[in-house]
Coordinates of all heavy atoms in Angstrom, one line a residue:
N120 N 6.3 17.5 -22.4 CA 5.2 17.6 -21.5 C 5.5 16.7 -20.3 O 5.8 15.5 -20.5 CB 4.0 17.1 -22.2 CG 2.7 17.2 -21.4 OD1 2.7 16.8 -20.2 ND2 1.7 17.7 -22.0
H121 N 5.5 17.2 -19.1 CA 5.8 16.5 -17.9 C 4.9 15.3 -17.7 O 5.3 14.3 -17.2 CB 5.8 17.4 -16.7 CG 6.3 16.8 -15.5 ND1 5.5 16.5 -14.4 CD2 7.6 16.4 -15.1 CE1 6.3 16.0 -13.4 NE2 7.5 15.9 -13.9
L122 N 3.6 15.5 -18.0 CA 2.6 14.4 -17.8 C 3.0 13.2 -18.6 O 3.0 12.1 -18.1 CB 1.2 14.9 -18.2 CG 0.1 13.8 -18.1 CD1 0.0 13.2 -16.7 CD2 -1.2 14.3 -18.6
L123 N 3.4 13.4 -19.8 CA 3.8 12.2 -20.7 C 5.1 11.6 -20.2 O 5.3 10.4 -20.2 CB 4.0 12.7 -22.1 CG 2.7 13.1 -22.8 CD1 2.9 13.5 -24.2 CD2 1.6 12.0 -22.8
Q124 N 6.0 12.4 -19.6 CA 7.2 11.9 -19.0 C 6.9 11.0 -17.8 O 7.5 9.9 -17.7 CB 8.2 13.0 -18.6 CG 8.8 13.7 -19.7 CD 9.6 14.9 -19.3 OE1 9.4 15.4 -18.1 NE2 10.5 15.4 -20.1
V125 N 6.0 11.4 -17.0 CA 5.6 10.6 -15.8 C 4.9 9.3 -16.3 O 5.2 8.2 -15.8 CB 4.6 11.4 -14.9 CG1 4.1 10.6 -13.7 CG2 5.3 12.7 -14.4
V126 N 4.0 9.4 -17.2 CA 3.3 8.2 -17.7 C 4.4 7.2 -18.3 O 4.3 6.0 -18.1 CB 2.2 8.6 -18.7 CG1 1.7 7.3 -19.4 CG2 1.1 9.3 -18.0
G127 N 5.3 7.8 -19.1 CA 6.3 6.9 -19.7 C 7.2 6.2 -18.7 O 7.5 5.0 -18.8
A128 N 7.6 7.0 -17.7 CA 8.4 6.4 -16.6 C 7.6 5.3 -15.9 O 8.2 4.2 -15.5 CB 8.9 7.5 -15.7
A129 N 6.4 5.5 -15.6 CA 5.5 4.5 -14.9 C 5.4 3.3 -15.8 O 5.5 2.2 -15.3 CB 4.2 5.1 -14.5
V130 N 5.1 3.5 -17.0 CA 4.9 2.3 -17.9 C 6.3 1.5 -18.0 O 6.3 0.3 -17.9 CB 4.5 2.8 -19.3 CG1 4.6 1.7 -20.4 CG2 3.1 3.3 -19.3
G131 N 7.4 2.2 -18.2 CA 8.7 1.6 -18.3 C 9.0 0.8 -17.0 O 9.4 -0.4 -17.1
G132 N 8.8 1.4 -15.9 CA 9.1 0.8 -14.6 C 8.2 -0.4 -14.3 O 8.7 -1.4 -13.9
R133 N 6.9 -0.2 -14.5 CA 6.0 -1.2 -14.1 C 5.9 -2.4 -15.1 O 5.9 -3.5 -14.7 CB 4.6 -0.5 -14.0 CG 3.5 -1.5 -13.7 CD 2.5 -0.9 -12.8 NE 1.2 -1.6 -12.7 CZ 1.1 -2.8 -12.2 NH1 2.1 -3.5 -11.7 NH2 -0.1 -3.4 -12.1
F134 N 5.9 -2.1 -16.4 CA 5.7 -3.1 -17.3 C 6.9 -3.7 -18.0 O 6.9 -4.8 -18.6 CB 4.7 -2.7 -18.4 CG 3.3 -2.3 -17.8 CD1 3.0 -0.9 -17.7 CD2 2.5 -3.2 -17.2 CE1 1.8 -0.6 -17.1 CE2 1.3 -2.9 -16.7 CZ 0.9 -1.5 -16.6
F135 N 8.0 -3.0 -18.0 CA 9.2 -3.4 -18.7 C 10.4 -3.8 -17.7 O 11.2 -4.6 -18.0 CB 9.7 -2.4 -19.7 CG 8.7 -2.3 -20.9 CD1 7.8 -1.2 -20.9 CD2 8.6 -3.2 -21.9 CE1 6.9 -1.1 -21.9 CE2 7.7 -3.1 -22.9 CZ 6.8 -2.0 -22.9
R136 N 10.4 -3.1 -16.6 CA 11.5 -3.3 -15.6 C 11.0 -4.0 -14.4 O 11.8 -4.3 -13.5 CB 12.3 -2.0 -15.3 CG 13.0 -1.4 -16.5 CD 13.9 -0.2 -16.1 NE 13.1 0.9 -15.5 CZ 12.4 1.8 -16.2 NH1 12.3 1.7 -17.5 NH2 11.8 2.7 -15.6
D137 N 9.8 -4.2 -14.2 CA 9.2 -4.9 -13.1 C 9.7 -4.2 -11.8 O 10.0 -4.8 -10.8 CB 9.5 -6.4 -13.0 CG 8.6 -7.1 -12.1 OD1 7.4 -6.7 -11.9 OD2 9.0 -8.2 -11.6
D138 N 9.7 -2.9 -11.8 CA 10.1 -2.0 -10.7 C 9.0 -1.9 -9.7 O 7.9 -1.4 -10.0 CB 10.6 -0.7 -11.1 CG 11.0 0.3 -10.0 OD1 10.9 -0.1 -8.8 OD2 11.6 1.3 -10.4
P139 N 9.1 -2.5 -8.4 CA 8.0 -2.4 -7.5 C 7.7 -1.0 -7.0 O 6.7 -0.8 -6.4 CB 8.6 -3.3 -6.3 CG 10.0 -3.2 -6.4 CD 10.3 -3.1 -7.9
N140 N 8.6 0.0 -7.3 CA 8.3 1.4 -6.9 C 7.5 2.1 -8.0 O 7.2 3.3 -7.8 CB 9.6 2.1 -6.6 CG 10.3 1.5 -5.4 OD1 9.6 1.2 -4.4 ND2 11.6 1.4 -5.4
S141 N 7.3 1.5 -9.1 CA 6.5 2.1 -10.2 C 5.0 1.6 -10.1 O 4.8 0.5 -9.8 CB 7.0 1.7 -11.6 OG 8.3 2.3 -11.7
F142 N 4.1 2.5 -10.3 CA 2.7 2.2 -10.1 C 1.9 2.9 -11.3 O 2.2 4.0 -11.6 CB 2.3 2.8 -8.8 CG 0.8 2.5 -8.4 CD1 0.5 1.3 -7.9 CD2 -0.1 3.5 -8.6 CE1 -0.9 1.0 -7.6 CE2 -1.5 3.2 -8.3 CZ -1.8 2.0 -7.8
A143 N 1.0 2.2 -11.8 CA 0.1 2.7 -12.8 C -1.3 2.2 -12.7 O -1.5 1.0 -12.5 CB 0.7 2.3 -14.2
R144 N -2.2 3.1 -12.6 CA -3.6 2.8 -12.6 C -4.4 3.8 -13.3 O -4.2 5.0 -13.3 CB -4.2 2.8 -11.1 CG -3.7 1.7 -10.2 CD -4.3 0.3 -10.7 NE -3.8 -0.7 -9.8 CZ -2.7 -1.3 -9.9 NH1 -1.8 -1.1 -10.9 NH2 -2.3 -2.3 -9.1
S145 N -5.4 3.3 -14.0 CA -6.4 4.2 -14.7 C -7.8 3.7 -14.2 O -8.0 2.5 -14.2 CB -6.3 4.1 -16.2 OG -5.1 4.7 -16.7
V146 N -8.6 4.6 -13.9 CA -9.9 4.2 -13.3 C -11.0 5.0 -14.1 O -10.8 6.2 -14.3 CB -10.0 4.6 -11.8 CG1 -11.4 4.3 -11.3 CG2 -9.0 3.9 -11.0
S147 N -12.0 4.3 -14.6 CA -13.1 5.0 -15.2 C -14.3 4.8 -14.3 O -14.5 3.7 -13.8 CB -13.4 4.4 -16.6 OG -12.4 4.6 -17.5
L148 N -15.0 5.8 -13.9 CA -16.1 5.7 -13.0 C -17.1 6.8 -13.4 O -16.9 7.7 -14.2 CB -15.6 5.9 -11.6 CG -15.1 7.3 -11.2 CD1 -15.3 7.5 -9.7 CD2 -13.6 7.4 -11.5
R149 N -18.3 6.7 -12.8 CA -19.3 7.7 -13.0 C -19.4 8.5 -11.7 O -19.3 7.9 -10.6 CB -20.7 7.0 -13.2 CG -20.7 6.1 -14.5 CD -22.1 5.4 -14.5 NE -22.0 4.3 -15.4 CZ -22.2 4.3 -16.7 NH1 -22.4 5.4 -17.3 NH2 -22.1 3.1 -17.4
V150 N -19.6 9.8 -11.9 CA -19.7 10.7 -10.7 C -20.9 11.6 -10.9 O -21.1 12.1 -12.0 CB -18.4 11.6 -10.6 CG1 -18.6 12.5 -9.5 CG2 -17.2 10.7 -10.4
A151 N -21.8 11.6 -9.9 CA -22.9 12.5 -10.0 C -22.4 14.0 -10.1 O -21.4 14.3 -9.5 CB -23.8 12.4 -8.8
P152 N -23.1 14.8 -10.9 CA -22.6 16.2 -11.1 C -22.4 16.9 -9.8 O -21.5 17.7 -9.6 CB -23.8 16.8 -11.9 CG -24.4 15.7 -12.6 CD -24.3 14.5 -11.7
E153 N -23.3 16.6 -8.8 CA -23.1 17.3 -7.5 C -22.0 16.8 -6.7 O -21.6 17.4 -5.7 CB -24.4 17.3 -6.7 CG -24.9 15.9 -6.3 CD -25.7 15.1 -7.4 OE1 -25.8 15.6 -8.5 OE2 -26.3 14.1 -7.1
A154 N -21.3 15.7 -7.2 CA -20.2 15.1 -6.4 C -18.8 15.6 -7.0 O -17.8 15.3 -6.5 CB -20.2 13.6 -6.5
L155 N -18.9 16.4 -8.1 CA -17.6 16.9 -8.6 C -16.8 17.7 -7.6 O -15.6 17.7 -7.6 CB -17.9 17.7 -9.9 CG -18.3 16.9 -11.1 CD1 -18.7 17.8 -12.3 CD2 -17.2 15.9 -11.5
D156 N -17.5 18.5 -6.8 CA -16.8 19.3 -5.8 C -16.1 18.3 -4.8 O -15.0 18.6 -4.3 CB -17.7 20.2 -5.0 CG -18.1 21.4 -5.9 OD1 -17.4 21.8 -6.8 OD2 -19.1 22.0 -5.6
E157 N -16.7 17.2 -4.5 CA -16.1 16.2 -3.6 C -14.8 15.6 -4.2 O -13.9 15.4 -3.5 CB -17.1 15.1 -3.3 CG -16.6 14.1 -2.3 CD -17.6 13.1 -1.9 OE1 -18.8 13.2 -2.2 OE2 -17.2 12.1 -1.3
L158 N -14.9 15.4 -5.5 CA -13.7 14.9 -6.2 C -12.5 15.9 -6.1 O -11.4 15.6 -5.8 CB -14.0 14.6 -7.7 CG -12.9 14.1 -8.6 CD1 -12.4 12.7 -8.0 CD2 -13.3 13.9 -10.0
R159 N -12.8 17.2 -6.3 CA -11.8 18.2 -6.2 C -11.3 18.3 -4.7 O -10.1 18.5 -4.5 CB -12.4 19.6 -6.6 CG -12.6 19.8 -8.1 CD -13.2 21.1 -8.4 NE -13.7 21.1 -9.7 CZ -15.0 21.0 -10.0 NH1 -15.9 20.8 -9.0 NH2 -15.4 21.0 -11.2
S160 N -12.2 18.2 -3.8 CA -11.9 18.2 -2.4 C -11.0 17.0 -2.0 O -10.1 17.2 -1.2 CB -13.2 18.2 -1.5 OG -12.9 18.2 -0.2
L161 N -11.3 15.9 -2.6 CA -10.4 14.7 -2.3 C -9.0 15.0 -2.6 O -8.1 14.7 -1.8 CB -10.9 13.5 -3.1 CG -10.0 12.3 -3.0 CD1 -10.1 11.7 -1.6 CD2 -10.5 11.2 -4.0
Y162 N -8.7 15.7 -3.7 CA -7.3 16.1 -4.1 C -6.8 17.2 -3.1 O -5.8 17.1 -2.5 CB -7.2 16.5 -5.5 CG -5.9 17.1 -5.8 CD1 -4.8 16.2 -5.9 CD2 -5.6 18.4 -5.9 CE1 -3.5 16.6 -6.2 CE2 -4.3 18.9 -6.1 CZ -3.3 18.0 -6.2 OH -2.0 18.5 -6.4
Q163 N -7.6 18.3 -3.0 CA -7.1 19.5 -2.3 C -7.0 19.2 -0.8 O -6.1 19.8 -0.2 CB -8.1 20.6 -2.6 CG -8.0 21.1 -4.0 CD -9.1 22.2 -4.3 OE1 -10.0 22.4 -3.6 NE2 -8.9 22.8 -5.4
D164 N -7.9 18.5 -0.2 CA -8.0 18.4 1.2 C -7.4 17.1 1.8 O -7.1 17.0 3.0 CB -9.5 18.4 1.7 CG -10.1 19.7 1.3 OD1 -9.4 20.8 1.2 OD2 -11.4 19.8 1.2
V165 N -7.2 16.1 0.9 CA -6.6 14.8 1.4 C -5.3 14.5 0.7 O -4.3 14.4 1.4 CB -7.7 13.7 1.2 CG1 -7.1 12.3 1.6 CG2 -9.0 14.0 1.9
I166 N -5.4 14.4 -0.6 CA -4.2 13.9 -1.3 C -3.0 14.9 -1.2 O -1.9 14.6 -0.9 CB -4.5 13.5 -2.8 CG1 -5.5 12.4 -2.8 CG2 -3.3 13.2 -3.6 CD1 -6.1 12.1 -4.1
W167 N -3.3 16.2 -1.6 CA -2.2 17.2 -1.6 C -1.6 17.4 -0.2 O -0.4 17.4 -0.1 CB -2.7 18.5 -2.2 CG -1.7 19.6 -2.2 CD1 -1.6 20.7 -1.4 CD2 -0.4 19.6 -2.9 NE1 -0.5 21.4 -1.6 CE2 0.3 20.7 -2.5 CE3 0.1 18.7 -3.8 CZ2 1.5 21.0 -3.0 CZ3 1.4 19.0 -4.4 CH2 2.0 20.2 -4.0
P168 N -2.4 17.5 0.8 CA -1.7 17.7 2.2 C -0.9 16.5 2.5 O 0.2 16.6 3.1 CB -2.9 17.8 3.1 CG -4.0 18.4 2.3 CD -3.8 17.8 0.9
R169 N -1.3 15.3 2.2 CA -0.5 14.1 2.5 C 0.7 14.0 1.7 O 1.8 13.6 2.2 CB -1.4 12.8 2.3 CG -0.7 11.5 2.7 CD -0.3 11.5 4.1 NE 0.5 10.3 4.4 CZ 1.6 10.3 5.1 NH1 2.1 11.4 5.7 NH2 2.2 9.1 5.3
L170 N 0.7 14.4 0.4 CA 1.9 14.5 -0.4 C 2.9 15.5 0.2 O 4.1 15.2 0.2 CB 1.5 14.9 -1.8 CG 0.8 13.8 -2.6 CD1 0.4 14.4 -4.0 CD2 1.6 12.5 -2.8
A171 N 2.4 16.6 0.7 CA 3.3 17.6 1.3 C 3.9 17.0 2.6 O 5.1 17.2 2.8 CB 2.5 18.8 1.7
E172 N 3.2 16.2 3.3 CA 3.8 15.6 4.5 C 4.9 14.6 4.1 O 5.9 14.5 4.7 CB 2.7 14.8 5.3 CG 1.7 15.7 6.0 CD 0.6 14.9 6.7 OE1 0.6 13.7 6.6 OE2 -0.3 15.6 7.2
L173 N 4.6 13.8 3.1 CA 5.6 12.8 2.6 C 6.9 13.5 2.2 O 8.0 13.0 2.5 CB 5.0 12.0 1.5 CG 3.9 11.0 1.9 CD1 3.2 10.4 0.6 CD2 4.3 9.9 2.8
E174 N 6.7 14.6 1.4 CA 7.9 15.4 1.0 C 8.6 15.9 2.2 O 9.9 15.8 2.3 CB 7.4 16.5 0.1 CG 8.5 17.5 -0.3 CD 9.5 17.0 -1.2 OE1 9.2 16.0 -1.9 OE2 10.6 17.6 -1.3
E175 N 7.9 16.5 3.1 CA 8.6 17.0 4.3 C 9.3 16.0 5.1 O 10.4 16.2 5.6 CB 7.5 17.7 5.2 CG 8.1 18.4 6.4 CD 7.1 19.2 7.2 OE1 6.1 19.6 6.7 OE2 7.3 19.3 8.4
N176 N 8.7 14.8 5.3 CA 9.3 13.7 6.0 C 10.6 13.2 5.3 O 11.5 12.6 6.0 CB 8.4 12.6 6.2 CG 7.2 13.0 7.2 OD1 7.3 13.9 7.9 ND2 6.1 12.2 7.1
A177 N 10.7 13.4 4.0 CA 11.8 12.9 3.3 C 13.0 13.9 3.1 O 14.1 13.5 2.7 CB 11.4 12.4 1.9
T178 N 12.6 15.1 3.4 CA 13.6 16.2 3.2 C 14.9 15.9 4.1 O 14.8 15.6 5.3 CB 13.0 17.6 3.6 OG1 11.9 17.8 2.8 CG2 14.0 18.7 3.5
G179 N 16.0 16.0 3.4 CA 17.3 15.8 4.1 C 17.7 14.4 4.2 O 18.8 14.1 4.7
R180 N 16.9 13.5 3.8 CA 17.3 12.1 3.9 C 18.1 11.7 2.6 O 17.6 11.9 1.5 CB 16.1 11.2 4.0 CG 15.4 11.4 5.4 CD 14.3 10.4 5.6 NE 14.7 9.0 5.4 CZ 14.2 8.0 5.9 NH1 13.1 8.1 6.6 NH2 14.6 6.8 5.6
S181 N 19.2 11.0 2.9 CA 20.0 10.6 1.7 C 19.4 9.4 1.0 O 19.7 9.1 -0.2 CB 21.4 10.2 2.2 OG 21.4 9.1 3.1
D182 N 18.5 8.7 1.6 CA 17.8 7.5 1.0 C 16.5 7.9 0.4 O 15.8 7.0 -0.1 CB 17.7 6.4 2.0 CG 16.8 6.8 3.2 OD1 16.5 8.0 3.4 OD2 16.3 5.8 3.9
A183 N 16.1 9.2 0.4 CA 14.8 9.6 -0.2 C 14.8 9.3 -1.7 O 15.9 9.5 -2.4 CB 14.6 11.1 0.0
I184 N 13.7 8.9 -2.2 CA 13.6 8.5 -3.6 C 12.7 9.6 -4.3 O 11.6 9.9 -3.8 CB 12.8 7.2 -3.8 CG1 13.6 6.1 -3.1 CG2 12.6 6.8 -5.2 CD1 12.9 4.7 -3.0
A185 N 13.3 10.2 -5.3 CA 12.5 11.2 -6.1 C 11.4 10.5 -6.9 O 11.7 9.6 -7.6 CB 13.5 12.0 -7.0
M186 N 10.2 11.0 -6.7 CA 9.0 10.4 -7.3 C 8.3 11.4 -8.1 O 8.2 12.6 -7.7 CB 8.1 9.7 -6.3 CG 8.7 8.7 -5.4 SD 9.1 7.2 -6.3 CE 7.5 6.5 -6.6
D187 N 7.7 11.0 -9.2 CA 6.7 11.8 -9.9 C 5.3 11.2 -9.7 O 5.2 10.0 -9.7 CB 7.0 11.9 -11.4 CG 8.2 12.8 -11.8 OD1 8.3 13.8 -11.1 OD2 8.9 12.5 -12.7
L188 N 4.3 12.1 -9.6 CA 3.0 11.6 -9.4 C 2.1 12.5 -10.3 O 2.2 13.7 -10.2 CB 2.5 11.7 -8.0 CG 1.1 11.4 -7.7 CD1 0.7 10.0 -7.8 CD2 0.7 11.9 -6.3
S189 N 1.3 12.0 -11.1 CA 0.3 12.7 -11.9 C -1.1 12.3 -11.6 O -1.4 11.1 -11.5 CB 0.6 12.6 -13.4 OG 1.8 13.2 -13.7
I190 N -2.0 13.2 -11.4 CA -3.4 12.9 -11.1 C -4.2 13.7 -12.1 O -4.0 15.0 -12.2 CB -3.8 13.3 -9.7 CG1 -3.0 12.5 -8.7 CG2 -5.3 13.1 -9.5 CD1 -3.1 12.9 -7.3
C191 N -5.0 13.1 -12.9 CA -5.8 13.8 -13.9 C -7.2 13.3 -13.9 O -7.4 12.1 -13.6 CB -5.3 13.6 -15.3 SG -3.7 13.1 -15.6
W192 N -8.2 14.1 -14.2 CA -9.5 13.7 -14.4 C -10.2 14.6 -15.4 O -9.8 15.7 -15.6 CB -10.3 13.5 -13.2 CG -10.6 14.7 -12.4 CD1 -11.4 15.8 -12.7 CD2 -10.0 15.1 -11.1 NE1 -11.4 16.7 -11.7 CE2 -10.5 16.3 -10.7 CE3 -9.1 14.5 -10.3 CZ2 -10.2 16.9 -9.5 CZ3 -8.7 15.1 -9.1 CH2 -9.2 16.3 -8.8
A193 N -11.1 14.0 -16.1 CA -11.9 14.8 -17.1 C -13.1 14.0 -17.5 O -13.1 12.7 -17.4 CB -11.0 15.0 -18.4
P194 N -14.1 14.7 -17.9 CA -15.3 13.9 -18.4 C -15.0 13.0 -19.5 O -14.1 13.3 -20.3 CB -16.3 15.1 -18.8 CG -15.8 16.3 -18.1 CD -14.3 16.1 -18.0
Y195 N -15.7 11.9 -19.7 CA -15.5 11.0 -20.7 C -16.8 10.5 -21.3 O -17.7 10.2 -20.5 CB -14.7 9.8 -20.1 CG -14.5 8.6 -21.1 CD1 -13.6 8.7 -22.1 CD2 -15.3 7.5 -21.1 CE1 -13.4 7.7 -23.0 CE2 -15.2 6.5 -22.0 CZ -14.2 6.6 -23.0 OH -14.0 5.6 -23.9
D196 N -16.9 10.6 -22.6 CA -18.2 10.2 -23.2 C -17.9 8.9 -24.0 O -17.5 9.0 -25.2 CB -18.7 11.3 -24.1 CG -20.0 11.0 -24.7 OD1 -20.5 9.8 -24.6 OD2 -20.6 11.8 -25.4
P197 N -18.2 7.7 -23.5 CA -17.9 6.5 -24.2 C -18.8 6.4 -25.5 O -18.3 5.7 -26.4 CB -18.3 5.4 -23.2 CG -19.1 6.0 -22.2 CD -18.8 7.5 -22.2
S198 N -19.9 7.0 -25.6 CA -20.7 6.9 -26.8 C -20.1 7.7 -27.9 O -20.5 7.6 -29.1 CB -22.1 7.4 -26.5 OG -22.1 8.8 -26.2
N199 N -19.1 8.6 -27.6 CA -18.5 9.4 -28.6 C -17.0 9.2 -28.7 O -16.2 10.1 -29.0 CB -18.8 10.9 -28.3 CG -18.5 11.8 -29.5 OD1 -18.4 11.4 -30.6 ND2 -18.3 13.1 -29.2
G200 N -16.6 8.0 -28.4 CA -15.1 7.6 -28.5 C -14.3 8.4 -27.4 O -13.1 8.5 -27.6
G201 N -15.0 8.8 -26.4 CA -14.3 9.6 -25.3 C -14.3 11.1 -25.5 O -13.9 11.8 -24.6
D202 N -14.7 11.5 -26.7 CA -14.6 13.0 -27.0 C -15.7 13.7 -26.2 O -16.9 13.3 -26.4 CB -14.7 13.2 -28.5 CG -14.4 14.6 -28.9 OD1 -14.2 15.5 -28.0 OD2 -14.4 14.8 -30.1
T203 N -15.4 14.7 -25.4 CA -16.4 15.4 -24.7 C -16.6 16.8 -25.2 O -17.3 17.6 -24.7 CB -16.1 15.5 -23.2 OG1 -14.8 16.1 -23.1 CG2 -16.1 14.1 -22.5
R204 N -15.9 17.1 -26.3 CA -16.1 18.4 -27.0 C -17.5 18.5 -27.6 O -18.0 17.5 -28.1 CB -15.1 18.7 -28.0 CG -13.7 18.8 -27.5 CD -12.7 18.9 -28.6 NE -12.7 17.6 -29.3 CZ -12.1 17.4 -30.5 NH1 -11.3 18.3 -31.0 NH2 -12.1 16.2 -31.1
H205 N -18.1 19.7 -27.5 CA -19.4 19.9 -28.1 C -19.3 20.8 -29.3 O -18.7 21.8 -29.2 CB -20.3 20.4 -27.1 CG -20.5 19.6 -25.9 ND1 -21.3 18.4 -25.9 CD2 -20.0 19.6 -24.7 CE1 -21.3 17.8 -24.8 NE2 -20.5 18.5 -24.0
E206 N -19.9 20.4 -30.4 CA -19.9 21.2 -31.6 C -20.8 22.3 -31.4 O -21.9 22.2 -30.8 CB -20.3 20.4 -32.8 CG -19.4 19.2 -33.1 CD -18.1 19.6 -33.7 OE1 -18.0 20.7 -34.4 OE2 -17.1 19.0 -33.3
T207 N -20.5 23.5 -31.9 CA -21.4 24.7 -31.8 C -21.9 25.1 -33.1 O -21.4 24.7 -34.1 CB -20.7 25.9 -31.1 OG1 -19.5 26.2 -31.9 CG2 -20.3 25.6 -29.7

């Protein structure tokens, strides 16, 4: 799974090799239901276009660094150990 490879590389670089180019953050926050579209828009309209620019600016450069980036989000229910599945 690519996501686990990215997480493993970030953990190894950041916490075991002290690589300044490795970055790891996890954020837990509350989002109003009507703001979920804004969260999607943040990725689609801001983050993804900027990543495309960064890739384009590095194309053809011999000093370009190949990077992996994973962005995930999902509902989290702390009262249920994080499980958001609903029994039917």
Side-chain angles (χ1 to χ4, degrees):
N120 181 317
H121 189 249
L122 175 61
L123 293 178
Q124 290 174 340
V125 175
V126 170
V130 167
R133 176 143 165 66
F134 300 109
F135 294 100
R136 292 188 302 280
D137 199 28
D138 180 350
N140 293 319
S141 294
F142 181 81
R144 288 292 181 275
S145 291
V146 177
S147 295
L148 67 152
R149 298 176 203 274
V150 177
E153 62 274 11
L155 288 174
D156 285 339
E157 185 177 346
L158 183 60
R159 288 181 198 96
S160 178
L161 176 65
Y162 174 75
Q163 293 172 345
D164 300 336
V165 178
I166 296 170
W167 177 250
R169 183 60 182 135
L170 291 174
E172 290 173 5
L173 292 170
E174 170 73 19
E175 185 176 332
N176 292 342
T178 299
R180 291 188 53 158
S181 63
D182 62 344
I184 301 169
M186 301 292 287
D187 282 326
L188 171 75
S189 292
I190 299 171
C191 343
W192 61 75
Y195 174 77
D196 183 355
S198 69
N199 194 21
D202 192 351
T203 57
R204 295 175 293 173
H205 298 283
E206 298 292 325
T207 57

